Amino acid sequence: MARKCTPTYSIKFSLNILAWQKHKIEKKFKIARIVYNSCLGEALKRHKSVKAAKEYHTLLKEPKSKERDRRLSEIRLANGFSEYGLHDFVRLVQHKFKENIGSLEAQKLATRAFQTVEKLHFGKARKVHFKKFDDDISVENKSNQTGLRYIDGNILWGDKPTKKCPNPKNWLCMPIAPKANDEYARIALMDNSKYVRILKREIRGKVRYFVQLIQEGYPPTKRNRKIANDETKRVGIDIGSSTIAVYSENTVELRELAPKCNTDFPKLRRIQRSIDRSKRSTNTHNFNKDGTFKKGRLEWNNSNSYKKLRKKRKELYRRIAVQRKISHGKLANDILALGSDIRVETMRFQSLQKRTKKTTRNRNNGKINSKKRFGKSIANHAPAMLLTIIDRKLSYQGQSLKKIDTYATKASQFNHKTGKYTKKQLTERWNAFEKLLIQRDLYSAFLIGNTNETLNSVDVDLCNAKWFNFVQLHNREIARLKQSPSKTLRWFVA
């Protein structure tokens, strides 16, 4: 019988606990790390045994078919490479630590380990990483009935006190309460809790603990948030590596993605160099005379200054990530306020991150051009994250982000006046329409917003009907961008 799938959202609270409770949580997290690493190691063994099978290699070379996929699946199951196969393995591991980690919590750790190795197995990842002693980690349950659970304003974990055992060693009862003026949290706590997740995070050099309640239903609507929730209102967005162009009936905008989240690369480089110098000075035996690493399994001695520098670098990245997430959330809300029929081109940002294979030379000095593309820009601005947030927020309205066929529509090349496609260089930022100059990204957003219902071509009649209104909004936006303090935005209209 298929599992019942219901809408889900999460709400996060900080855990303000006593010192003795922290010691118990630390013990549980230490055991969780051991269980996870054990499952990861076992999953890797099973992955290697599957890859070593001759029949498996032979089948991979054959053309794709249902029979081929069935045989591949049988080989994986025969070697125990499956989620439930790893659940059987973790049962024996969990039995040694049953006082601190429940069976369902151990199964969730096994599932995460299997999903990690599964990405490696299917070529979606290059390698896997075991959890180190000081790594961030989380533990979650599969239900809210036993083990780690939320009941009546308290997070409970472990065996309940009884008459025979009034003070169990593994028992934790941690109260949580929303702030006095947090109406959103109060309404969210009224919903049924599916399961609980506890997270360990290092913030500004201090270890803190948080709890996430996975609630059933849709999140409450915030009082200060405007939601269109109108499928008749179309919104076209043309997203790039650092900017996003937005088009609707009343708005035409070009905005920078996460403008305050640019990584301080000079500062980061200084930290990286300090880390490298510290590593080399305390581990001279691990390097060759030319400065390269020696081959084989090496033992590393890390100084206290090295550890401090690593924490400093980690904190720098954490702050940027938090700011980026907040910025994307606000931008997603602004877009959702314009309409619920949101359309975007299908994009492969991973391909944009890769270095180009073609070698080119600079026309002026004859030097070979750099093969770098948009890696740093995508890392800073995270455009895929914005689309994920928009899609998640749309799902609360029972809708989803509509992705048009990029290769069929060719929005960046199409001209709705002539019906022709013209390839353009990335440096060409304007489209000419007789005496009019239209910014390329804004025009692409306009075309994307006026695609047909099959999402594979531009509706020319609709474009013609809305053209005059778009030109007026476009000219107003260009005037604003030329006065913008952002160098990035000014470059797009230069």
Side-chain angles (χ1 to χ4, degrees):
M1 185 177 177
R3 291 180 182 177
K4 187 180 178 182
C5 185
T6 56
T8 303
Y9 70 98
S10 66
I11 184 166
K12 186 177 176 181
F13 295 94
S14 176
L15 281 177
N16 298 315
I17 52 180
L18 302 173
W20 66 270
Q21 291 176 319
K22 287 183 181 179
H23 292 316
K24 285 192 175 183
I25 286 184
E26 271 301 320
K27 184 178 180 179
K28 289 177 182 288
F29 274 126
K30 182 181 178 181
I31 293 168
R33 181 174 57 84
I34 294 169
V35 172
Y36 175 82
N37 287 340
S38 300
C39 292
L40 195 64
E42 181 64 23
L44 279 171
K45 287 179 185 177
R46 297 182 184 190
H47 152 74
K48 288 176 182 177
S49 65
V50 171
K51 290 289 185 180
K54 291 183 179 179
E55 187 184 358
Y56 196 82
H57 273 283
T58 307
L59 288 167
L60 286 175
K61 294 176 183 177
E62 293 181 4
K64 291 183 179 180
S65 65
K66 289 185 178 179
E67 180 61 24
R68 168 184 171 272
D69 292 343
R70 185 184 65 79
R71 286 291 303 127
L72 289 171
S73 179
E74 286 177 355
I75 294 170
R76 286 194 290 268
L77 290 173
N79 287 274
F81 187 65
S82 67
E83 181 181 349
Y84 293 106
L86 213 58
H87 284 186
D88 291 336
F89 167 79
V90 81
R91 184 181 61 203
L92 300 174
V93 179
Q94 181 269 336
H95 185 71
K96 298 177 182 178
F97 307 108
K98 61 182 180 181
E99 291 184 356
N100 292 282
I101 293 290
S103 58
L104 298 181
E105 294 148 22
Q107 285 180 14
K108 267 297 184 80
L109 290 166
T111 297
R112 275 157 43 188
F114 172 74
Q115 289 172 349
T116 302
V117 179
E118 192 178 32
K119 289 179 182 177
L120 178 70
H121 186 81
F122 291 108
K124 294 180 180 178
R126 292 184 179 180
K127 57 183 177 180
V128 299
H129 297 277
F130 288 86
K131 288 284 184 185
K132 296 179 182 178
F133 179 78
D134 56 347
D135 282 350
D136 292 340
I137 193 171
S138 65
V139 177
E140 61 186 56
N141 206 341
K142 294 176 77 172
S143 70
N144 199 44
Q145 303 301 320
T146 60
L148 181 60
R149 58 203 182 276
Y150 169 75
I151 297 175
D152 298 331
N154 294 301
I155 301 296
L156 310 180
W157 200 358
D159 298 327
K160 258 189 171 183
T162 59
K163 290 182 179 179
K164 291 183 179 180
C165 185
N167 295 309
K169 290 182 179 179
N170 62 345
W171 172 246
L172 281 171
C173 178
M174 300 168 285
I176 60 168
K179 294 178 182 178
N181 59 348
D182 194 347
E183 187 179 347
Y184 176 90
R186 291 182 181 279
I187 297 171
L189 287 174
M190 295 179 185
D191 290 332
N192 180 43
S193 296
K194 285 187 170 184
Y195 59 93
V196 177
R197 180 185 297 122
I198 290 187
L199 306 96
K200 175 187 174 183
R201 297 288 182 264
E202 188 174 337
I203 300 173
R204 301 182 190 91
K206 293 183 179 179
V207 174
R208 293 186 62 188
Y209 301 95
F210 298 90
V211 60
Q212 280 185 345
L213 302 181
I214 314 303
Q215 303 292 87
E216 185 176 0
Y218 296 106
T221 304
K222 294 182 179 179
R223 289 175 297 178
N224 59 347
R225 183 182 163 193
K226 295 178 182 179
I227 302 176
N229 199 9
D230 188 351
E231 291 184 49
T232 62
K233 292 183 178 180
R234 285 192 185 185
V235 181
I237 56 178
D238 180 54
I239 193 164
S241 61
S242 60
T243 58
I244 182 170
V246 183
Y247 162 77
S248 69
E249 290 184 0
N250 303 316
T251 305
V252 171
E253 270 190 307
L254 182 68
R255 295 176 64 169
E256 188 178 356
L257 296 173
K260 297 181 181 178
C261 299
N262 291 321
T263 307
D264 188 351
F265 286 109
K267 183 178 180 181
L268 184 60
R269 278 196 295 271
R270 287 194 296 271
I271 294 172
Q272 293 278 33
R273 286 199 296 268
S274 299
I275 287 174
D276 186 62
R277 286 195 299 270
S278 177
K279 192 172 190 177
R280 288 174 182 275
S281 63
T282 53
N283 298 278
T284 53
H285 55 283
N286 288 340
F287 294 90
N288 297 314
K289 290 181 179 179
D290 59 355
T292 57
F293 290 100
K294 289 183 180 179
K295 292 182 179 179
R297 197 165 187 173
L298 306 173
E299 291 186 5
W300 297 93
N301 300 315
N302 299 325
S303 64
N304 288 331
S305 61
Y306 174 86
K307 293 175 183 177
K308 287 178 183 178
L309 286 166
R310 282 190 63 183
K311 286 185 177 181
K312 192 175 181 181
R313 182 181 60 180
K314 184 179 178 181
E315 177 63 17
L316 181 65
Y317 279 124
R318 185 199 67 81
R319 288 183 181 182
I320 294 167
V322 170
Q323 290 174 357
R324 187 188 299 117
K325 189 175 181 180
I326 293 170
S327 179
H328 280 354
K330 290 178 180 177
L331 179 54
N333 289 341
D334 292 343
I335 292 170
L336 288 167
L338 301 174
S340 298
D341 186 353
I342 301 176
R343 305 183 177 207
V344 65
E345 285 184 311
T346 51
M347 293 287 289
R348 290 182 60 84
F349 292 106
Q350 287 181 337
S351 300
L352 295 175
Q353 286 177 297
K354 293 178 181 177
R355 292 164 65 90
T356 183
K357 294 179 180 179
K358 189 177 179 181
T359 303
T360 58
R361 289 184 178 274
N362 190 306
R363 291 180 182 178
N364 298 327
N365 55 29
K367 291 183 179 180
I368 295 174
N369 292 324
S370 173
K371 292 189 176 183
K372 292 180 182 179
R373 297 181 75 198
F374 305 102
K376 282 185 179 179
S377 180
I378 290 172
N380 281 334
H381 302 287
M385 180 194 284
L386 175 64
L387 297 181
T388 303
I389 292 171
I390 292 172
D391 196 35
R392 173 172 57 81
K393 288 176 179 284
L394 279 171
S395 68
Y396 300 150
Q397 303 174 21
Q399 298 171 47
S400 62
L401 194 64
K402 294 182 179 179
K403 296 184 178 181
I404 69 169
D405 190 336
T406 306
Y407 296 101
T409 54
K410 299 177 184 175
S412 61
Q413 302 176 21
F414 186 65
N415 185 322
H416 80 280
K417 291 289 186 181
T418 61
K420 295 180 180 179
Y421 296 90
T422 307
K423 286 189 177 181
K424 301 180 183 71
Q425 296 294 325
L426 285 174
T427 52
E428 296 179 46
R429 307 311 311 170
W430 298 91
N431 291 329
F433 294 88
E434 296 178 354
K435 295 182 180 180
L436 278 175
L437 285 176
I438 302 296
Q439 207 278 337
R440 173 180 172 169
D441 300 309
L442 296 175
Y443 182 61
S444 294
F446 169 71
L447 294 178
I448 291 167
N450 291 311
T451 48
N452 58 17
E453 292 304 321
T454 56
L455 305 176
N456 59 3
S457 64
V458 177
D459 190 335
V460 177
D461 293 333
L462 195 59
C463 288
N464 289 328
K466 297 186 177 182
W467 176 246
F468 180 73
N469 180 52
F470 166 72
V471 171
Q472 286 186 319
L473 294 171
H474 168 272
N475 292 339
R476 191 186 306 166
E477 176 64 6
I478 294 300
R480 184 189 72 84
L481 291 173
K482 287 181 177 179
Q483 303 298 322
S484 173
S486 171
K487 291 182 180 179
T488 302
L489 294 178
R490 289 202 305 272
W491 180 85
F492 278 86
V493 295

